[in-house]
Amino acid sequence: MIPALEAKNINKYFREPVNFHVLKDISLHIDPGEFTSIMGKSGCGKSTLLYILSTMDTDYEGDLFINGQNVSQLNTDDHAHIRNESIGFVFQFHYLLSEFSVLENVMLPAKKLGKKSFEEIEHDAMEKLRLLGIDDQALKLSSRISGGQKQRVAIARSLINDPVIIMGDEPTGNLDSKNSDIVFNIFQELSHEQGLSLLIVTHDDDFAHRTDRIITMEDGRIIS
Amino acid sequence: MKFSVILSISKTHLISRRKQTVVAALGVTFGIGAYIIMMSFMTGLNGLLDGLVLNRTPHVHLYTEEVPSVNQPIHKVEKYKDQTKFVYSVKPKRKRPQIHNALPILDMLKKHPKVAGITPQVRAQGFYLAGQTQLNASILGVDVLKEADLYNLRDYIVEGSVLDLAANDKGIIIGKGAAEKLSLTVGDLVQIGTIEGEVFPLKIVGFYQSGLADIDDIQSYVNLKTAQRIIGESADYITDLNVKLLDMKNAPAMAKDLGKQFDVASVDIQTANAQFDSGTSIRNMISYAVSIALLIVAGFGIYNILNMLIYEKMNDIAILKATGFSGKDVRRIFISQAVIIGFFGGLFGLVLGYLVSWLISTVPFESEALPTLKTMPVNFETSFYFIGMIFAMVSTFLAGYLPSKKAERIDPVEIIRGQ
Ligand SMILES: Nc1ncnc2c1ncn2[C@@H]1O[C@H](COP(=O)(O)OP(=O)(O)OP(=O)(O)O)[C@@H](O)[C@H]1O
Ligand SMILES: [Mg+2]
């Protein structure tokens, strides 16, 4: 079975303000359909690792495979395409385009991919919004909805191109426990029923313990 | 990816900050509008000034010069062949300044492929006689209809018409200045005295006003035949041949060729009006310099607004990149905004330019020099509108290029981490 994501001996240094070895020899792999969480103290390098795994950060040593393809040597345009097609990313802060409607925000990555007609994309986007229970907000400007709703829009957006893996950097960090539960259930459903892989950074113990596997980090290393 | 996706993003950006967009577009509008107005008015004026001199001047003028003969009789004496000879006080021989074989030359040049038209002229000196007054007169015998076609003679006839002259062998179109001095009106008879002492009565069929007092006080037009009769010469007596070429640029070469070929004196329009040409090009240069300056100002406006926009849109750029838009896509999003601003700003600039030019063209403008002109001269040439539009697009593209490049290079991780 080809892992959805595999990292081999990843090392990263920050050179400013002082030389700092932030990720030390990180190796990990995520199987298709696996729901994994990453835990660790603040500042241990979780976000940094996630930016590398999502191909946004290319300044590192080591090899990264997504769906079996080595992407460490590809150029930025190819990385953009991989992010568009195979990776969904959910930020801690709800990163939406504020001048666009909720529906347009969800549709944009699919329009960029250009594999479906406008009608299909619109239909799929509405499906994803319904899945997250916010289809009634579809036509609102994305700056006019609540924080929890924004977070769910971001998740809907990450799902629109049916990616191989979804990465989240504390996606429930700003949510109350009820909304946090809703998001967890959606993630679990996606991984168990649709075979979607998930890699979620979290500080929430309850959340982490309900996932299939916990990766613990300390000082730039994976310790378990 | 379809370009329409990029366009729809730029459109949303532009519409959601309407004020900035309008300000940026207005910069282009005023730049292009000013360009159109400047060019239309300046070239209109140039056309007017060209008309004053250039349109009335033949491209190549053939005539006979009264110069003393280089070969004096002594040069022909065999005995003194190898000696230096001094001849003092050489004068030109008194003879009529006729072009020999003018009629065959005329026929030949009519068929020349580079020639648009050719008019024969007979110059005669004489006097206007009225009671005790006697004024110098320069009578120009012309083929009046042809003259009107080739050299806009109609524009300078303030009373009567060229047809009246063409139909009347005893008619004359007299300079307005002379007519005033002699208190003559159209329909009166004017006596023309010749150097030989003969007197010809001619009927005034029109007034001529060039705007140059020296000419209007002296010159008058009659038919070719009339002029020949006044000086007592036959129908093959022609003093000047005025050639109009299809392309004015060929004038110097043609003047040289024709002068040599027919053994006559010749002068081309560029030599005759050298100072005029440079005036025209300087005025053109000024118009272009001012327009370009205006567009550069508009360009900086767009550059600033886009830079600001990109600064405000850092988050959007990071999101777009994180969700799979490439740097190139992001650059296209912003450059298309610049070009859209350029397109609409330019379009309105053309409309503005046209409207103001039209307004200027209705302003009354009376000129002694061009009696037929009633309003300001404005040139509604379509090429200005094409160039204006291209200008608008190119300058906004350049103004948008650097900010867009910056947007292309923005690192999404830096932005996301910065939150
Ligand atoms: N741009 C940077 N330049 C230098 N050092 C950095 C930079 N970004 C992060 N760091 C350092 O790298 C380390 C790891 O940062 P990172 O954001 O990955 O931590 P984290 O595990 O996500 O923490 P948190 O749980 O608080 O989000 C930190 O010590 C941080 O100070
Ligand atoms: Mg973090």
Side-chain angles (χ1 to χ4, degrees):
Chain A
M1 190 164 57
I2 301 167
L5 180 103
E6 187 171 14
K8 283 185 182 162
N9 308 99
I10 289 194
N11 281 283
K12 177 168 174 81
Y13 302 85
F14 281 122
R15 286 166 193 89
E16 298 280 330
V18 287
N19 210 355
F20 173 41
H21 194 175
V22 53
L23 294 178
K24 296 161 189 156
D25 222 24
I26 301 271
S27 294
L28 61 83
H29 73 100
I30 313 286
D31 288 329
E34 198 177 10
F35 187 179
T36 312
S37 54
I38 300 181
M39 294 199 77
K41 283 208 206 80
S42 180
C44 70
K46 303 182 296 293
S47 296
T48 308
L49 177 62
L50 221 50
Y51 297 142
I52 288 173
L53 297 181
S54 66
T55 75
M56 278 192 279
D57 187 353
T58 51
D59 180 20
Y60 62 90
E61 291 161 11
D63 287 312
L64 174 64
F65 298 82
I66 290 170
N67 230 1
Q69 184 191 11
N70 187 341
V71 302
S72 354
Q73 303 305 324
L74 298 180
N75 65 29
T76 49
D77 280 359
D78 293 330
H79 286 151
H81 182 69
I82 287 166
R83 284 201 294 281
N84 188 223
E85 192 171 30
S86 311
I87 302 173
F89 203 96
V90 185
F91 308 96
Q92 177 174 8
F93 300 95
H94 13 270
Y95 263 100
L96 298 178
L97 300 177
S98 57
E99 285 154 351
F100 292 75
S101 75
V102 164
L103 185 62
E104 280 167 334
N105 265 285
V106 178
M107 287 168 71
L108 262 181
K111 285 188 183 169
K112 160 69 197 167
L113 191 61
K115 282 207 174 145
K116 296 182 227 163
S117 73
F118 179 86
E119 285 74 24
E120 285 175 283
I121 293 173
E122 192 172 45
H123 175 263
D124 288 358
M126 281 310 287
E127 275 302 303
K128 307 292 180 201
L129 287 173
R130 195 166 300 129
L131 188 70
L132 286 137
I134 38 168
D135 47 325
D136 54 329
Q137 309 288 322
L139 298 178
K140 277 196 186 165
L141 216 53
S142 67
S143 53
R144 304 250 164 89
I145 56 175
S146 80
Q149 289 171 327
K150 281 180 190 168
Q151 197 66 281
R152 281 182 276 167
V153 175
I155 294 169
R157 182 181 61 195
S158 73
L159 294 172
I160 188 71
N161 284 339
D162 297 320
V164 177
I165 184 164
I166 288 197
M167 303 183 198
D169 194 356
E170 300 177 45
T172 58
N174 287 325
L175 300 183
D176 60 25
S177 60
K178 186 172 156 260
N179 272 309
S180 181
D181 260 5
I182 294 174
V183 168
F184 179 87
N185 290 332
I186 292 163
F187 281 162
Q188 194 163 48
E189 217 175 281
L190 289 169
S191 91
H192 290 172
E193 281 163 29
Q194 297 186 20
L196 188 68
S197 309
L198 290 140
L199 183 61
I200 307 291
V201 169
T202 182
H203 286 290
D204 182 342
D205 271 328
D206 287 345
F207 187 103
H209 284 288
R210 288 159 70 195
T211 61
D212 302 342
R213 174 156 73 107
I214 299 176
I215 293 173
T216 313
M217 284 181 70
E218 201 176 293
D219 280 341
R221 282 182 212 283
I222 292 180
I223 54 168
S224 74
Chain B
M1 181 190 43
K2 275 182 252 136
F3 194 64
S4 60
V5 179
I6 288 195
L7 272 186
S8 78
I9 298 175
S10 342
K11 208 178 86 195
T12 308
H13 276 168
L14 287 173
I15 290 173
S16 57
R17 42 207 59 237
R18 203 166 297 136
K19 239 188 226 156
Q20 282 180 11
T21 307
V22 168
V23 168
L26 276 182
V28 181
T29 298
F30 287 130
I32 298 298
Y35 164 78
I36 299 278
I37 296 162
M38 293 268 310
M39 289 311 283
S40 304
F41 190 49
M42 279 293 205
T43 57
L45 221 54
N46 272 346
L48 170 82
L49 294 169
D50 286 355
L52 273 181
V53 174
L54 296 184
N55 286 350
R56 301 193 264 199
T57 315
H59 294 160
V60 176
H61 180 199
L62 302 176
Y63 59 104
T64 306
E65 225 163 13
E66 289 181 38
V67 289
S69 173
V70 185
N71 281 318
Q72 293 294 320
I74 186 118
H75 292 108
K76 295 185 175 157
V77 180
E78 200 59 35
K79 209 161 57 169
Y80 306 128
K81 203 177 129 212
D82 296 326
Q83 277 148 48
T84 308
K85 297 154 283 255
F86 295 96
V87 184
Y88 291 100
S89 222
V90 178
K91 298 277 189 305
K93 199 168 87 187
R94 163 88 184 119
K95 59 164 189 188
R96 299 256 163 159
Q98 176 182 13
I99 295 181
H100 292 287
N101 298 322
L103 295 183
I105 294 176
L106 187 73
D107 281 340
M108 216 176 118
L109 285 182
K110 262 185 204 162
K111 291 176 203 131
H112 196 287
K114 286 183 182 164
V115 171
I118 173 161
T119 54
Q121 291 188 339
V122 174
R123 277 177 203 282
Q125 302 303 321
F127 310 97
Y128 300 116
L129 306 172
Q132 293 298 318
T133 345
Q134 180 175 338
L135 297 176
N136 275 331
S138 166
I139 315 284
L140 204 55
V142 293
D143 181 341
V144 69
L145 294 180
K146 249 192 189 160
E147 202 76 25
D149 283 346
L150 292 178
Y151 300 107
N152 301 352
L153 188 58
R154 280 188 193 87
D155 289 353
Y156 308 101
I157 294 186
V158 284
E159 246 184 281
S161 81
V162 289
L163 290 175
D164 295 336
L165 182 61
N168 193 339
D169 256 3
K170 292 210 159 82
I172 183 169
I173 292 179
I174 190 169
K176 188 110 198 259
E180 270 164 13
K181 285 192 179 150
L182 301 164
S183 341
L184 293 168
T185 57
V186 171
D188 289 350
L189 282 183
V190 58
Q191 310 283 339
I192 304 292
T194 67
I195 302 174
E196 282 79 14
E198 288 176 75
V199 175
F200 288 84
L202 293 178
K203 190 179 174 206
I204 298 177
V205 296
F207 286 154
Y208 164 84
Q209 184 180 21
S210 69
L212 305 173
D214 279 353
I215 292 179
D216 295 343
D217 284 356
I218 294 172
Q219 188 162 299
S220 55
Y221 287 93
V222 298
N223 285 305
L224 212 51
K225 246 187 283 176
T226 318
Q228 286 159 346
R229 216 175 51 231
I230 289 174
I231 46 177
E233 291 282 357
S234 58
D236 62 359
Y237 179 85
I238 303 289
T239 60
D240 301 81
L241 286 173
N242 287 341
V243 184
K244 187 159 191 166
L245 300 176
L246 291 169
D247 185 355
M248 193 171 116
K249 283 194 212 77
N250 295 326
M254 280 288 278
K256 229 173 163 183
D257 285 357
L258 296 180
K260 219 183 253 167
Q261 191 179 351
F262 302 126
D263 191 24
V264 289
S266 65
V267 65
D268 58 88
I269 188 167
Q270 282 86 346
T271 311
N273 294 288
Q275 80 287 10
F276 215 83
D277 239 15
S278 56
T280 302
S281 58
I282 285 174
R283 277 190 297 275
N284 273 338
M285 237 158 69
I286 292 175
S287 333
Y288 272 103
V290 171
S291 314
I292 288 173
L294 284 167
L295 281 177
I296 288 176
V297 172
F300 270 108
I302 292 173
Y303 173 83
N304 262 334
I305 286 176
L306 269 172
N307 251 338
M308 249 164 60
L309 182 74
I310 285 164
Y311 194 75
E312 286 171 28
K313 290 270 166 268
M314 289 286 199
N315 273 348
D316 284 27
I317 295 168
I319 298 166
L320 287 171
K321 287 190 168 175
T323 55
F325 284 78
S326 66
K328 217 180 284 160
D329 296 331
V330 171
R331 188 182 72 211
R332 285 198 194 126
I333 287 171
F334 287 96
I335 207 125
S336 68
Q337 292 182 32
V339 172
I340 288 171
I341 288 174
F343 180 76
F344 286 102
L347 213 60
F348 283 114
L350 298 189
V351 174
L352 178 77
Y354 180 79
L355 287 180
V356 176
S357 301
W358 178 80
L359 270 180
I360 291 175
S361 77
T362 63
V363 173
F365 180 74
E366 305 272 342
S367 159
E368 284 271 289
L370 265 185
T372 46
L373 191 77
K374 294 283 174 274
T375 53
M376 289 283 193
V378 171
N379 182 4
F380 291 99
E381 203 179 302
T382 39
S383 70
F384 300 152
Y385 294 79
F386 275 110
I387 294 173
M389 204 58 204
I390 291 169
F391 244 14
M393 305 285 278
V394 169
S395 61
T396 47
F397 181 86
L398 292 180
Y401 187 77
L402 283 183
S404 307
K405 260 304 208 214
K406 199 167 97 184
E408 178 180 2
R409 281 193 299 260
I410 282 175
D411 178 5
V413 174
E414 238 169 78
I415 310 294
I416 293 164
R417 226 194 265 280
Q419 269 277 319

